[in-house]
PDB file of all heavy atoms in Angstrom:
ATOM      1  N   TRP A   1       0.860  -1.175   0.000  1.00  0.00           N
ATOM      2  CA  TRP A   1       0.000   0.000   0.000  1.00  0.00           C
ATOM      3  C   TRP A   1       0.904   1.234   0.000  1.00  0.00           C
ATOM      4  O   TRP A   1       1.958   1.235   0.620  1.00  0.00           O
ATOM      5  CB  TRP A   1      -0.904   0.011   1.233  1.00  0.00           C
ATOM      6  CG  TRP A   1      -1.858   1.183   1.250  1.00  0.00           C
ATOM      7  CD1 TRP A   1      -1.630   2.414   1.793  1.00  0.00           C
ATOM      8  CD2 TRP A   1      -3.163   1.227   0.676  1.00  0.00           C
ATOM      9  NE1 TRP A   1      -2.716   3.219   1.596  1.00  0.00           N
ATOM     10  CE2 TRP A   1      -3.674   2.518   0.925  1.00  0.00           C
ATOM     11  CE3 TRP A   1      -3.954   0.286  -0.009  1.00  0.00           C
ATOM     12  CZ2 TRP A   1      -4.941   2.905   0.497  1.00  0.00           C
ATOM     13  CZ3 TRP A   1      -5.214   0.683  -0.424  1.00  0.00           C
ATOM     14  CH2 TRP A   1      -5.699   1.962  -0.175  1.00  0.00           C
ATOM     15  N   ARG A   2       0.457   2.261  -0.697  1.00  0.00           N
ATOM     16  CA  ARG A   2       1.301   3.441  -0.854  1.00  0.00           C
ATOM     17  C   ARG A   2       1.882   3.922   0.482  1.00  0.00           C
ATOM     18  O   ARG A   2       1.165   4.095   1.461  1.00  0.00           O
ATOM     19  CB  ARG A   2       0.491   4.571  -1.496  1.00  0.00           C
ATOM     20  CG  ARG A   2       1.329   5.821  -1.762  1.00  0.00           C
ATOM     21  CD  ARG A   2       0.895   6.605  -2.970  1.00  0.00           C
ATOM     22  NE  ARG A   2      -0.546   6.836  -3.036  1.00  0.00           N
ATOM     23  CZ  ARG A   2      -1.189   7.054  -4.186  1.00  0.00           C
ATOM     24  NH1 ARG A   2      -0.517   7.050  -5.332  1.00  0.00           N
ATOM     25  NH2 ARG A   2      -2.493   7.268  -4.199  1.00  0.00           N
ATOM     26  N   TYR A   3       3.200   4.109   0.467  1.00  0.00           N
ATOM     27  CA  TYR A   3       4.025   4.587   1.574  1.00  0.00           C
ATOM     28  C   TYR A   3       4.344   3.541   2.632  1.00  0.00           C
ATOM     29  O   TYR A   3       4.997   3.877   3.631  1.00  0.00           O
ATOM     30  CB  TYR A   3       3.429   5.834   2.250  1.00  0.00           C
ATOM     31  CG  TYR A   3       3.122   6.956   1.285  1.00  0.00           C
ATOM     32  CD1 TYR A   3       2.044   7.805   1.496  1.00  0.00           C
ATOM     33  CD2 TYR A   3       3.902   7.163   0.143  1.00  0.00           C
ATOM     34  CE1 TYR A   3       1.738   8.832   0.607  1.00  0.00           C
ATOM     35  CE2 TYR A   3       3.608   8.179  -0.757  1.00  0.00           C
ATOM     36  CZ  TYR A   3       2.522   9.007  -0.513  1.00  0.00           C
ATOM     37  OH  TYR A   3       2.223  10.019  -1.397  1.00  0.00           O
ATOM     38  N   ASP A   4       3.902   2.268   2.462  1.00  0.00           N
ATOM     39  CA  ASP A   4       4.445   1.269   3.380  1.00  0.00           C
ATOM     40  C   ASP A   4       5.824   0.859   2.878  1.00  0.00           C
ATOM     41  O   ASP A   4       6.281   1.290   1.814  1.00  0.00           O
ATOM     42  CB  ASP A   4       3.494   0.084   3.575  1.00  0.00           C
ATOM     43  CG  ASP A   4       3.324  -0.805   2.346  1.00  0.00           C
ATOM     44  OD1 ASP A   4       4.134  -0.721   1.399  1.00  0.00           O
ATOM     45  OD2 ASP A   4       2.358  -1.603   2.335  1.00  0.00           O
ATOM     46  N   ASP A   5       6.535   0.035   3.643  1.00  0.00           N
ATOM     47  CA  ASP A   5       7.926  -0.267   3.309  1.00  0.00           C
ATOM     48  C   ASP A   5       8.053  -0.971   1.964  1.00  0.00           C
ATOM     49  O   ASP A   5       8.998  -0.711   1.197  1.00  0.00           O
ATOM     50  CB  ASP A   5       8.563  -1.118   4.408  1.00  0.00           C
ATOM     51  CG  ASP A   5       8.860  -0.316   5.670  1.00  0.00           C
ATOM     52  OD1 ASP A   5       8.602   0.903   5.676  1.00  0.00           O
ATOM     53  OD2 ASP A   5       9.346  -0.916   6.650  1.00  0.00           O
ATOM     54  N   GLU A   6       7.128  -1.871   1.670  1.00  0.00           N
ATOM     55  CA  GLU A   6       7.201  -2.595   0.400  1.00  0.00           C
ATOM     56  C   GLU A   6       6.986  -1.649  -0.778  1.00  0.00           C
ATOM     57  O   GLU A   6       7.670  -1.742  -1.802  1.00  0.00           O
ATOM     58  CB  GLU A   6       6.152  -3.714   0.385  1.00  0.00           C
ATOM     59  CG  GLU A   6       6.260  -4.637  -0.825  1.00  0.00           C
ATOM     60  CD  GLU A   6       5.269  -5.785  -0.775  1.00  0.00           C
ATOM     61  OE1 GLU A   6       4.635  -5.984   0.277  1.00  0.00           O
ATOM     62  OE2 GLU A   6       5.135  -6.478  -1.802  1.00  0.00           O
ATOM     63  N   TRP A   7       6.051  -0.721  -0.633  1.00  0.00           N
ATOM     64  CA  TRP A   7       5.806   0.257  -1.704  1.00  0.00           C
ATOM     65  C   TRP A   7       7.034   1.146  -1.892  1.00  0.00           C
ATOM     66  O   TRP A   7       7.464   1.403  -3.021  1.00  0.00           O
ATOM     67  CB  TRP A   7       4.579   1.106  -1.356  1.00  0.00           C
ATOM     68  CG  TRP A   7       4.109   1.997  -2.472  1.00  0.00           C
ATOM     69  CD1 TRP A   7       3.143   1.720  -3.385  1.00  0.00           C
ATOM     70  CD2 TRP A   7       4.578   3.319  -2.771  1.00  0.00           C
ATOM     71  NE1 TRP A   7       2.973   2.788  -4.255  1.00  0.00           N
ATOM     72  CE2 TRP A   7       3.842   3.788  -3.887  1.00  0.00           C
ATOM     73  CE3 TRP A   7       5.538   4.155  -2.204  1.00  0.00           C
ATOM     74  CZ2 TRP A   7       4.050   5.046  -4.458  1.00  0.00           C
ATOM     75  CZ3 TRP A   7       5.754   5.411  -2.769  1.00  0.00           C
ATOM     76  CH2 TRP A   7       5.012   5.846  -3.876  1.00  0.00           C
ATOM     77  N   PHE A   8       7.611   1.596  -0.786  1.00  0.00           N
ATOM     78  CA  PHE A   8       8.788   2.457  -0.899  1.00  0.00           C
ATOM     79  C   PHE A   8       9.985   1.704  -1.482  1.00  0.00           C
ATOM     80  O   PHE A   8      10.816   2.291  -2.172  1.00  0.00           O
ATOM     81  CB  PHE A   8       9.156   3.053   0.458  1.00  0.00           C
ATOM     82  CG  PHE A   8       8.589   4.421   0.683  1.00  0.00           C
ATOM     83  CD1 PHE A   8       7.789   4.675   1.779  1.00  0.00           C
ATOM     84  CD2 PHE A   8       8.850   5.459  -0.203  1.00  0.00           C
ATOM     85  CE1 PHE A   8       7.253   5.940   1.989  1.00  0.00           C
ATOM     86  CE2 PHE A   8       8.319   6.727  -0.006  1.00  0.00           C
ATOM     87  CZ  PHE A   8       7.514   6.970   1.093  1.00  0.00           C
ATOM     88  N   SER A   9      10.085   0.411  -1.219  1.00  0.00           N
ATOM     89  CA  SER A   9      11.164  -0.374  -1.830  1.00  0.00           C
ATOM     90  C   SER A   9      11.032  -0.366  -3.344  1.00  0.00           C
ATOM     91  O   SER A   9      12.027  -0.201  -4.077  1.00  0.00           O
ATOM     92  CB  SER A   9      11.139  -1.806  -1.295  1.00  0.00           C
ATOM     93  OG  SER A   9      11.471  -1.851   0.077  1.00  0.00           O
ATOM     94  N   ALA A  10       9.801  -0.535  -3.837  1.00  0.00           N
ATOM     95  CA  ALA A  10       9.562  -0.480  -5.276  1.00  0.00           C
ATOM     96  C   ALA A  10       9.830   0.921  -5.808  1.00  0.00           C
ATOM     97  O   ALA A  10      10.391   1.093  -6.903  1.00  0.00           O
ATOM     98  CB  ALA A  10       8.131  -0.902  -5.584  1.00  0.00           C
ATOM     99  N   PHE A  11       9.428   1.927  -5.055  1.00  0.00           N
ATOM    100  CA  PHE A  11       9.665   3.321  -5.453  1.00  0.00           C
ATOM    101  C   PHE A  11      11.161   3.588  -5.613  1.00  0.00           C
ATOM    102  O   PHE A  11      11.611   4.127  -6.631  1.00  0.00           O
ATOM    103  CB  PHE A  11       9.056   4.248  -4.402  1.00  0.00           C
ATOM    104  CG  PHE A  11       9.307   5.708  -4.629  1.00  0.00           C
ATOM    105  CD1 PHE A  11       8.544   6.416  -5.546  1.00  0.00           C
ATOM    106  CD2 PHE A  11      10.295   6.382  -3.920  1.00  0.00           C
ATOM    107  CE1 PHE A  11       8.770   7.775  -5.756  1.00  0.00           C
ATOM    108  CE2 PHE A  11      10.532   7.733  -4.125  1.00  0.00           C
ATOM    109  CZ  PHE A  11       9.764   8.432  -5.045  1.00  0.00           C
ATOM    110  N   MET A  12      11.954   3.183  -4.630  1.00  0.00           N
ATOM    111  CA  MET A  12      13.394   3.408  -4.690  1.00  0.00           C
ATOM    112  C   MET A  12      14.041   2.651  -5.844  1.00  0.00           C
ATOM    113  O   MET A  12      14.931   3.169  -6.531  1.00  0.00           O
ATOM    114  CB  MET A  12      14.039   3.009  -3.370  1.00  0.00           C
ATOM    115  CG  MET A  12      13.648   3.872  -2.195  1.00  0.00           C
ATOM    116  SD  MET A  12      14.362   3.211  -0.662  1.00  0.00           S
ATOM    117  CE  MET A  12      13.325   4.023   0.563  1.00  0.00           C
ATOM    118  N   GLU A  13      13.603   1.417  -6.056  1.00  0.00           N
ATOM    119  CA  GLU A  13      14.166   0.630  -7.145  1.00  0.00           C
ATOM    120  C   GLU A  13      13.920   1.307  -8.483  1.00  0.00           C
ATOM    121  O   GLU A  13      14.829   1.398  -9.329  1.00  0.00           O
ATOM    122  CB  GLU A  13      13.575  -0.771  -7.156  1.00  0.00           C
ATOM    123  CG  GLU A  13      14.121  -1.649  -8.283  1.00  0.00           C
ATOM    124  CD  GLU A  13      13.550  -3.050  -8.261  1.00  0.00           C
ATOM    125  OE1 GLU A  13      12.564  -3.282  -7.514  1.00  0.00           O
ATOM    126  OE2 GLU A  13      14.071  -3.910  -8.979  1.00  0.00           O
ATOM    127  N   ARG A  14      12.707   1.815  -8.679  1.00  0.00           N
ATOM    128  CA  ARG A  14      12.397   2.454  -9.967  1.00  0.00           C
ATOM    129  C   ARG A  14      13.104   3.795 -10.116  1.00  0.00           C
ATOM    130  O   ARG A  14      13.528   4.147 -11.216  1.00  0.00           O
ATOM    131  CB  ARG A  14      10.886   2.615 -10.100  1.00  0.00           C
ATOM    132  CG  ARG A  14      10.164   1.273 -10.152  1.00  0.00           C
ATOM    133  CD  ARG A  14       8.733   1.402 -10.602  1.00  0.00           C
ATOM    134  NE  ARG A  14       8.019   0.136 -10.446  1.00  0.00           N
ATOM    135  CZ  ARG A  14       6.820  -0.104 -10.959  1.00  0.00           C
ATOM    136  NH1 ARG A  14       6.198   0.828 -11.664  1.00  0.00           N
ATOM    137  NH2 ARG A  14       6.238  -1.272 -10.764  1.00  0.00           N
ATOM    138  N   VAL A  15      13.239   4.522  -9.013  1.00  0.00           N
ATOM    139  CA  VAL A  15      13.949   5.800  -9.084  1.00  0.00           C
ATOM    140  C   VAL A  15      15.428   5.586  -9.381  1.00  0.00           C
ATOM    141  O   VAL A  15      15.984   6.145 -10.341  1.00  0.00           O
ATOM    142  CB  VAL A  15      13.781   6.595  -7.773  1.00  0.00           C
ATOM    143  CG1 VAL A  15      14.761   7.778  -7.726  1.00  0.00           C
ATOM    144  CG2 VAL A  15      12.348   7.103  -7.631  1.00  0.00           C
ATOM    145  N   PHE A  16      16.073   4.772  -8.556  1.00  0.00           N
ATOM    146  CA  PHE A  16      17.528   4.688  -8.636  1.00  0.00           C
ATOM    147  C   PHE A  16      18.018   3.730  -9.716  1.00  0.00           C
ATOM    148  O   PHE A  16      18.995   4.032 -10.402  1.00  0.00           O
ATOM    149  CB  PHE A  16      18.093   4.292  -7.272  1.00  0.00           C
ATOM    150  CG  PHE A  16      17.991   5.383  -6.260  1.00  0.00           C
ATOM    151  CD1 PHE A  16      17.088   5.301  -5.212  1.00  0.00           C
ATOM    152  CD2 PHE A  16      18.774   6.515  -6.359  1.00  0.00           C
ATOM    153  CE1 PHE A  16      16.983   6.312  -4.276  1.00  0.00           C
ATOM    154  CE2 PHE A  16      18.688   7.539  -5.430  1.00  0.00           C
ATOM    155  CZ  PHE A  16      17.779   7.442  -4.390  1.00  0.00           C
ATOM    156  N   CYS A  17      17.381   2.585  -9.873  1.00  0.00           N
ATOM    157  CA  CYS A  17      17.826   1.616 -10.877  1.00  0.00           C
ATOM    158  C   CYS A  17      17.169   1.896 -12.231  1.00  0.00           C
ATOM    159  O   CYS A  17      17.847   1.952 -13.260  1.00  0.00           O
ATOM    160  CB  CYS A  17      17.525   0.196 -10.419  1.00  0.00           C
ATOM    161  SG  CYS A  17      18.340  -0.263  -8.870  1.00  0.00           S
ATOM    162  N   GLY A  18      15.853   2.079 -12.224  1.00  0.00           N
ATOM    163  CA  GLY A  18      15.152   2.287 -13.480  1.00  0.00           C
ATOM    164  C   GLY A  18      15.415   3.626 -14.123  1.00  0.00           C
ATOM    165  O   GLY A  18      15.615   3.720 -15.334  1.00  0.00           O
ATOM    166  N   GLU A  19      15.444   4.698 -13.308  1.00  0.00           N
ATOM    167  CA  GLU A  19      15.584   6.054 -13.850  1.00  0.00           C
ATOM    168  C   GLU A  19      17.030   6.551 -13.864  1.00  0.00           C
ATOM    169  O   GLU A  19      17.433   7.261 -14.780  1.00  0.00           O
ATOM    170  CB  GLU A  19      14.726   7.023 -13.036  1.00  0.00           C
ATOM    171  CG  GLU A  19      13.232   6.797 -13.140  1.00  0.00           C
ATOM    172  CD  GLU A  19      12.633   7.460 -14.365  1.00  0.00           C
ATOM    173  OE1 GLU A  19      13.277   8.376 -14.921  1.00  0.00           O
ATOM    174  OE2 GLU A  19      11.516   7.061 -14.752  1.00  0.00           O
ATOM    175  N   LEU A  20      17.801   6.194 -12.841  1.00  0.00           N
ATOM    176  CA  LEU A  20      19.114   6.818 -12.659  1.00  0.00           C
ATOM    177  C   LEU A  20      20.293   5.885 -12.895  1.00  0.00           C
ATOM    178  O   LEU A  20      21.446   6.316 -12.826  1.00  0.00           O
ATOM    179  CB  LEU A  20      19.201   7.425 -11.258  1.00  0.00           C
ATOM    180  CG  LEU A  20      18.138   8.498 -10.941  1.00  0.00           C
ATOM    181  CD1 LEU A  20      18.233   8.922  -9.480  1.00  0.00           C
ATOM    182  CD2 LEU A  20      18.283   9.697 -11.864  1.00  0.00           C
ATOM    183  N   GLY A  21      20.023   4.611 -13.164  1.00  0.00           N
ATOM    184  CA  GLY A  21      21.088   3.701 -13.557  1.00  0.00           C
ATOM    185  C   GLY A  21      21.923   3.122 -12.435  1.00  0.00           C
ATOM    186  O   GLY A  21      23.044   2.644 -12.674  1.00  0.00           O
ATOM    187  N   LEU A  22      21.406   3.106 -11.212  1.00  0.00           N
ATOM    188  CA  LEU A  22      22.145   2.493 -10.108  1.00  0.00           C
ATOM    189  C   LEU A  22      22.175   0.980 -10.289  1.00  0.00           C
ATOM    190  O   LEU A  22      21.140   0.366 -10.561  1.00  0.00           O
ATOM    191  CB  LEU A  22      21.463   2.830  -8.772  1.00  0.00           C
ATOM    192  CG  LEU A  22      22.106   2.230  -7.520  1.00  0.00           C
ATOM    193  CD1 LEU A  22      23.395   2.972  -7.184  1.00  0.00           C
ATOM    194  CD2 LEU A  22      21.142   2.279  -6.333  1.00  0.00           C
ATOM    195  N   PRO A  23      23.332   0.332 -10.145  1.00  0.00           N
ATOM    196  CA  PRO A  23      23.364  -1.135 -10.197  1.00  0.00           C
ATOM    197  C   PRO A  23      22.497  -1.739  -9.111  1.00  0.00           C
ATOM    198  O   PRO A  23      22.478  -1.256  -7.979  1.00  0.00           O
ATOM    199  CB  PRO A  23      24.854  -1.455  -9.970  1.00  0.00           C
ATOM    200  CG  PRO A  23      25.583  -0.201 -10.310  1.00  0.00           C
ATOM    201  CD  PRO A  23      24.664   0.920  -9.955  1.00  0.00           C
ATOM    202  N   GLU A  24      21.769  -2.784  -9.451  1.00  0.00           N
ATOM    203  CA  GLU A  24      20.843  -3.376  -8.477  1.00  0.00           C
ATOM    204  C   GLU A  24      21.555  -3.862  -7.225  1.00  0.00           C
ATOM    205  O   GLU A  24      20.958  -3.860  -6.142  1.00  0.00           O
ATOM    206  CB  GLU A  24      20.079  -4.528  -9.132  1.00  0.00           C
ATOM    207  CG  GLU A  24      19.056  -4.065 -10.161  1.00  0.00           C
ATOM    208  CD  GLU A  24      18.156  -5.198 -10.617  1.00  0.00           C
ATOM    209  OE1 GLU A  24      18.220  -6.287 -10.015  1.00  0.00           O
ATOM    210  OE2 GLU A  24      17.385  -4.983 -11.564  1.00  0.00           O
ATOM    211  N   ARG A  25      22.806  -4.262  -7.344  1.00  0.00           N
ATOM    212  CA  ARG A  25      23.539  -4.755  -6.173  1.00  0.00           C
ATOM    213  C   ARG A  25      23.736  -3.664  -5.117  1.00  0.00           C
ATOM    214  O   ARG A  25      23.947  -3.966  -3.937  1.00  0.00           O
ATOM    215  CB  ARG A  25      24.899  -5.314  -6.591  1.00  0.00           C
ATOM    216  CG  ARG A  25      25.854  -4.282  -7.168  1.00  0.00           C
ATOM    217  CD  ARG A  25      27.194  -4.892  -7.558  1.00  0.00           C
ATOM    218  NE  ARG A  25      28.122  -3.908  -8.088  1.00  0.00           N
ATOM    219  CZ  ARG A  25      28.128  -3.493  -9.352  1.00  0.00           C
ATOM    220  NH1 ARG A  25      27.280  -4.029 -10.232  1.00  0.00           N
ATOM    221  NH2 ARG A  25      28.997  -2.580  -9.759  1.00  0.00           N
ATOM    222  N   ALA A  26      23.677  -2.399  -5.532  1.00  0.00           N
ATOM    223  CA  ALA A  26      23.870  -1.298  -4.588  1.00  0.00           C
ATOM    224  C   ALA A  26      22.570  -0.865  -3.922  1.00  0.00           C
ATOM    225  O   ALA A  26      22.590  -0.084  -2.966  1.00  0.00           O
ATOM    226  CB  ALA A  26      24.499  -0.100  -5.302  1.00  0.00           C
ATOM    227  N   LEU A  27      21.441  -1.371  -4.415  1.00  0.00           N
ATOM    228  CA  LEU A  27      20.151  -0.897  -3.921  1.00  0.00           C
ATOM    229  C   LEU A  27      19.887  -1.240  -2.456  1.00  0.00           C
ATOM    230  O   LEU A  27      19.386  -0.384  -1.713  1.00  0.00           O
ATOM    231  CB  LEU A  27      19.027  -1.438  -4.804  1.00  0.00           C
ATOM    232  CG  LEU A  27      17.620  -0.925  -4.473  1.00  0.00           C
ATOM    233  CD1 LEU A  27      17.536   0.582  -4.661  1.00  0.00           C
ATOM    234  CD2 LEU A  27      16.584  -1.634  -5.340  1.00  0.00           C
ATOM    235  N   PRO A  28      20.171  -2.463  -1.973  1.00  0.00           N
ATOM    236  CA  PRO A  28      19.854  -2.765  -0.570  1.00  0.00           C
ATOM    237  C   PRO A  28      20.510  -1.807   0.417  1.00  0.00           C
ATOM    238  O   PRO A  28      19.860  -1.371   1.380  1.00  0.00           O
ATOM    239  CB  PRO A  28      20.370  -4.194  -0.398  1.00  0.00           C
ATOM    240  CG  PRO A  28      20.274  -4.783  -1.770  1.00  0.00           C
ATOM    241  CD  PRO A  28      20.657  -3.670  -2.695  1.00  0.00           C
ATOM    242  N   ALA A  29      21.778  -1.471   0.205  1.00  0.00           N
ATOM    243  CA  ALA A  29      22.451  -0.547   1.117  1.00  0.00           C
ATOM    244  C   ALA A  29      21.820   0.833   1.049  1.00  0.00           C
ATOM    245  O   ALA A  29      21.609   1.493   2.080  1.00  0.00           O
ATOM    246  CB  ALA A  29      23.940  -0.468   0.785  1.00  0.00           C
ATOM    247  N   LEU A  30      21.510   1.283  -0.149  1.00  0.00           N
ATOM    248  CA  LEU A  30      20.896   2.593  -0.315  1.00  0.00           C
ATOM    249  C   LEU A  30      19.514   2.642   0.329  1.00  0.00           C
ATOM    250  O   LEU A  30      19.189   3.570   1.074  1.00  0.00           O
ATOM    251  CB  LEU A  30      20.810   2.930  -1.808  1.00  0.00           C
ATOM    252  CG  LEU A  30      20.236   4.295  -2.182  1.00  0.00           C
ATOM    253  CD1 LEU A  30      20.868   4.803  -3.475  1.00  0.00           C
ATOM    254  CD2 LEU A  30      18.721   4.237  -2.370  1.00  0.00           C
ATOM    255  N   ALA A  31      18.698   1.635   0.069  1.00  0.00           N
ATOM    256  CA  ALA A  31      17.345   1.608   0.618  1.00  0.00           C
ATOM    257  C   ALA A  31      17.380   1.539   2.139  1.00  0.00           C
ATOM    258  O   ALA A  31      16.612   2.231   2.820  1.00  0.00           O
ATOM    259  CB  ALA A  31      16.569   0.422   0.054  1.00  0.00           C
ATOM    260  N   GLY A  32      18.278   0.725   2.688  1.00  0.00           N
ATOM    261  CA  GLY A  32      18.383   0.635   4.137  1.00  0.00           C
ATOM    262  C   GLY A  32      18.737   1.966   4.764  1.00  0.00           C
ATOM    263  O   GLY A  32      18.191   2.346   5.812  1.00  0.00           O
ATOM    264  N   ARG A  33      19.646   2.681   4.114  1.00  0.00           N
ATOM    265  CA  ARG A  33      20.042   3.999   4.617  1.00  0.00           C
ATOM    266  C   ARG A  33      18.870   4.975   4.557  1.00  0.00           C
ATOM    267  O   ARG A  33      18.609   5.721   5.510  1.00  0.00           O
ATOM    268  CB  ARG A  33      21.221   4.511   3.800  1.00  0.00           C
ATOM    269  CG  ARG A  33      21.637   5.945   4.103  1.00  0.00           C
ATOM    270  CD  ARG A  33      22.147   6.109   5.507  1.00  0.00           C
ATOM    271  NE  ARG A  33      22.612   7.464   5.745  1.00  0.00           N
ATOM    272  CZ  ARG A  33      22.496   8.088   6.913  1.00  0.00           C
ATOM    273  NH1 ARG A  33      21.942   7.474   7.937  1.00  0.00           N
ATOM    274  NH2 ARG A  33      22.939   9.308   7.047  1.00  0.00           N
ATOM    275  N   LEU A  34      18.118   4.972   3.454  1.00  0.00           N
ATOM    276  CA  LEU A  34      16.992   5.898   3.326  1.00  0.00           C
ATOM    277  C   LEU A  34      15.880   5.584   4.314  1.00  0.00           C
ATOM    278  O   LEU A  34      15.283   6.492   4.910  1.00  0.00           O
ATOM    279  CB  LEU A  34      16.449   5.888   1.897  1.00  0.00           C
ATOM    280  CG  LEU A  34      17.250   6.691   0.879  1.00  0.00           C
ATOM    281  CD1 LEU A  34      16.688   6.490  -0.523  1.00  0.00           C
ATOM    282  CD2 LEU A  34      17.244   8.186   1.232  1.00  0.00           C
ATOM    283  N   PHE A  35      15.587   4.303   4.508  1.00  0.00           N
ATOM    284  CA  PHE A  35      14.571   3.949   5.495  1.00  0.00           C
ATOM    285  C   PHE A  35      14.973   4.470   6.883  1.00  0.00           C
ATOM    286  O   PHE A  35      14.137   4.987   7.632  1.00  0.00           O
ATOM    287  CB  PHE A  35      14.369   2.437   5.551  1.00  0.00           C
ATOM    288  CG  PHE A  35      13.436   1.907   4.502  1.00  0.00           C
ATOM    289  CD1 PHE A  35      13.847   0.921   3.617  1.00  0.00           C
ATOM    290  CD2 PHE A  35      12.138   2.384   4.393  1.00  0.00           C
ATOM    291  CE1 PHE A  35      12.978   0.429   2.648  1.00  0.00           C
ATOM    292  CE2 PHE A  35      11.262   1.896   3.445  1.00  0.00           C
ATOM    293  CZ  PHE A  35      11.683   0.911   2.558  1.00  0.00           C
TER     294      PHE A  35
END
């Protein structure tokens, strides 16, 4: 549901990997820091 942790995980993945080209391997560390 919008703004729960699972939704925000998808949001971050699409922003950083889909839009900005972040390697997927770097996403867990980034998402953990943002949360």
Side-chain angles (χ1 to χ4, degrees):
W1 182 270
R2 183 148 47 205
Y3 307 147
D4 69 15
D5 286 358
E6 187 176 350
W7 189 94
F8 265 123
S9 293
F11 176 80
M12 294 175 199
E13 180 179 12
R14 296 193 189 191
V15 168
F16 289 108
C17 300
E19 294 276 341
L20 301 174
L22 179 74
E24 289 190 9
R25 65 180 181 277
L27 185 62
L30 182 149
R33 173 64 177 146
L34 281 174
F35 277 123

